[in-house]
Amino acid sequence: MKSSIAFFDSWIKDWESRDVEKYMSHYHTDFSSPIKGKMFDRAKWKAYKGILTDKYSKIEVNASDPFFFRHPKYTMMMFTQDYISTLKSGRKGLVSRGTKILYIAEEKGEPKIISENFTEMMW
């Protein structure tokens, strides 16, 4: 099984690559997560990320202060996320900073994100 750090690093790399298929390979088939009060399953999440990929020419994700919490059944990863996107016009897109929590469960012997939560910091 891939280590937590290797999984985490490859997830960020694939997110920044804007390759939705590679990015989604990190997500569990039972994925579910809230965005702005609405629950997204894996299919809705993929569609949402596809829309963003079409909108942005560049995505940068910087993670700092990562904490990994292990339990026999799951892993929780918490970190400060700085996200910067660039629109295809060259202008800045979304810029955010906050705390992200990833909940990781095994699927077929591999770590997969089963849920995630992001809380934006007020600056």
Short mmCIF file of all heavy atoms in Angstrom, two decimals, residues 1 12 18 24 26 48-49 51 57 86-87 91 100 109 115:
data_model
loop_
_atom_site.label_atom_id
_atom_site.label_comp_id
_atom_site.label_asym_id
_atom_site.label_seq_id
_atom_site.Cartn_x
_atom_site.Cartn_y
_atom_site.Cartn_z
N MET A 1 0.84 -1.19 0.00
CA MET A 1 0.00 0.00 0.00
C MET A 1 0.88 1.24 0.00
O MET A 1 1.92 1.28 0.63
CB MET A 1 -0.92 0.00 1.22
CG MET A 1 -1.88 1.17 1.20
SD MET A 1 -3.11 1.18 2.52
CE MET A 1 -2.13 1.64 3.90
N ILE A 12 -2.00 15.86 -4.67
CA ILE A 12 -1.79 17.29 -4.98
C ILE A 12 -1.23 17.45 -6.40
O ILE A 12 -1.70 18.29 -7.17
CB ILE A 12 -0.87 17.96 -3.94
CG1 ILE A 12 -1.63 18.08 -2.61
CG2 ILE A 12 -0.40 19.33 -4.42
CD1 ILE A 12 -0.81 18.59 -1.46
N ARG A 18 -4.49 19.15 -13.51
CA ARG A 18 -5.80 19.38 -14.13
C ARG A 18 -6.25 18.17 -14.96
O ARG A 18 -7.15 18.28 -15.77
CB ARG A 18 -5.79 20.66 -14.97
CG ARG A 18 -5.52 21.89 -14.14
CD ARG A 18 -5.39 23.21 -14.91
NE ARG A 18 -6.30 23.31 -16.03
CZ ARG A 18 -5.95 23.16 -17.31
NH1 ARG A 18 -4.70 22.89 -17.64
NH2 ARG A 18 -6.84 23.28 -18.27
N MET A 24 -9.18 11.99 -9.97
CA MET A 24 -10.27 11.19 -9.43
C MET A 24 -9.83 9.78 -9.04
O MET A 24 -10.51 9.12 -8.27
CB MET A 24 -11.43 11.11 -10.43
CG MET A 24 -12.20 12.43 -10.59
SD MET A 24 -12.85 13.12 -9.04
CE MET A 24 -13.97 11.83 -8.52
N HIS A 26 -7.79 9.10 -6.99
CA HIS A 26 -7.51 9.18 -5.55
C HIS A 26 -8.79 9.11 -4.71
O HIS A 26 -8.71 9.15 -3.49
CB HIS A 26 -6.77 10.48 -5.23
CG HIS A 26 -5.45 10.57 -5.91
ND1 HIS A 26 -4.30 9.98 -5.42
CD2 HIS A 26 -5.08 11.17 -7.07
CE1 HIS A 26 -3.30 10.23 -6.23
NE2 HIS A 26 -3.75 10.94 -7.25
N TYR A 48 -18.03 18.43 -11.26
CA TYR A 48 -17.67 19.74 -10.71
C TYR A 48 -16.20 20.06 -11.00
O TYR A 48 -15.87 21.15 -11.47
CB TYR A 48 -17.95 19.74 -9.20
CG TYR A 48 -17.46 20.93 -8.45
CD1 TYR A 48 -18.00 22.20 -8.65
CD2 TYR A 48 -16.44 20.80 -7.51
CE1 TYR A 48 -17.54 23.30 -7.93
CE2 TYR A 48 -15.98 21.89 -6.79
CZ TYR A 48 -16.54 23.14 -7.01
OH TYR A 48 -16.08 24.22 -6.30
N LYS A 49 -15.32 19.10 -10.77
CA LYS A 49 -13.89 19.32 -11.03
C LYS A 49 -13.62 19.46 -12.52
O LYS A 49 -12.72 20.19 -12.92
CB LYS A 49 -13.05 18.19 -10.42
CG LYS A 49 -13.07 18.19 -8.91
CD LYS A 49 -12.49 19.48 -8.35
CE LYS A 49 -12.48 19.50 -6.84
NZ LYS A 49 -11.76 20.66 -6.30
N ILE A 51 -15.63 20.93 -14.67
CA ILE A 51 -16.02 22.32 -14.98
C ILE A 51 -14.88 23.27 -14.61
O ILE A 51 -14.53 24.17 -15.38
CB ILE A 51 -17.32 22.70 -14.24
CG1 ILE A 51 -18.50 21.94 -14.86
CG2 ILE A 51 -17.56 24.21 -14.28
CD1 ILE A 51 -19.78 22.00 -14.04
N SER A 57 -6.63 27.71 -16.41
CA SER A 57 -5.46 27.26 -17.16
C SER A 57 -4.37 26.75 -16.21
O SER A 57 -3.46 26.03 -16.64
CB SER A 57 -4.89 28.40 -18.01
OG SER A 57 -4.43 29.46 -17.17
N THR A 86 -5.66 30.23 -12.01
CA THR A 86 -5.55 31.24 -13.05
C THR A 86 -6.56 30.92 -14.14
O THR A 86 -6.62 29.78 -14.62
CB THR A 86 -4.12 31.26 -13.65
OG1 THR A 86 -3.19 31.45 -12.58
CG2 THR A 86 -3.96 32.34 -14.69
N LEU A 87 -7.37 31.90 -14.49
CA LEU A 87 -8.36 31.72 -15.56
C LEU A 87 -7.65 31.63 -16.91
O LEU A 87 -6.52 32.08 -17.06
CB LEU A 87 -9.34 32.89 -15.56
CG LEU A 87 -10.19 33.05 -14.31
CD1 LEU A 87 -10.88 34.41 -14.30
CD2 LEU A 87 -11.20 31.93 -14.21
N ARG A 91 -6.17 36.06 -16.01
CA ARG A 91 -6.50 36.71 -14.73
C ARG A 91 -6.56 35.68 -13.62
O ARG A 91 -6.75 34.50 -13.86
CB ARG A 91 -7.85 37.43 -14.85
CG ARG A 91 -7.80 38.61 -15.80
CD ARG A 91 -9.08 39.43 -15.85
NE ARG A 91 -10.08 39.05 -14.86
CZ ARG A 91 -11.38 39.00 -15.10
NH1 ARG A 91 -11.85 39.27 -16.29
NH2 ARG A 91 -12.22 38.67 -14.14
N LYS A 100 -8.04 22.05 5.34
CA LYS A 100 -8.67 20.93 4.65
C LYS A 100 -8.45 19.68 5.46
O LYS A 100 -7.37 19.45 6.01
CB LYS A 100 -8.11 20.74 3.25
CG LYS A 100 -8.78 19.53 2.54
CD LYS A 100 -8.68 19.60 1.05
CE LYS A 100 -9.73 20.51 0.49
NZ LYS A 100 -9.74 20.48 -0.98
N GLY A 109 -7.14 -2.40 -1.25
CA GLY A 109 -5.78 -2.32 -0.75
C GLY A 109 -5.08 -0.99 -0.99
O GLY A 109 -3.91 -0.84 -0.69
N SER A 115 -14.04 11.17 1.93
CA SER A 115 -14.72 12.44 2.20
C SER A 115 -13.65 13.50 2.43
O SER A 115 -12.51 13.19 2.77
CB SER A 115 -15.63 12.34 3.42
OG SER A 115 -16.42 13.49 3.55
#
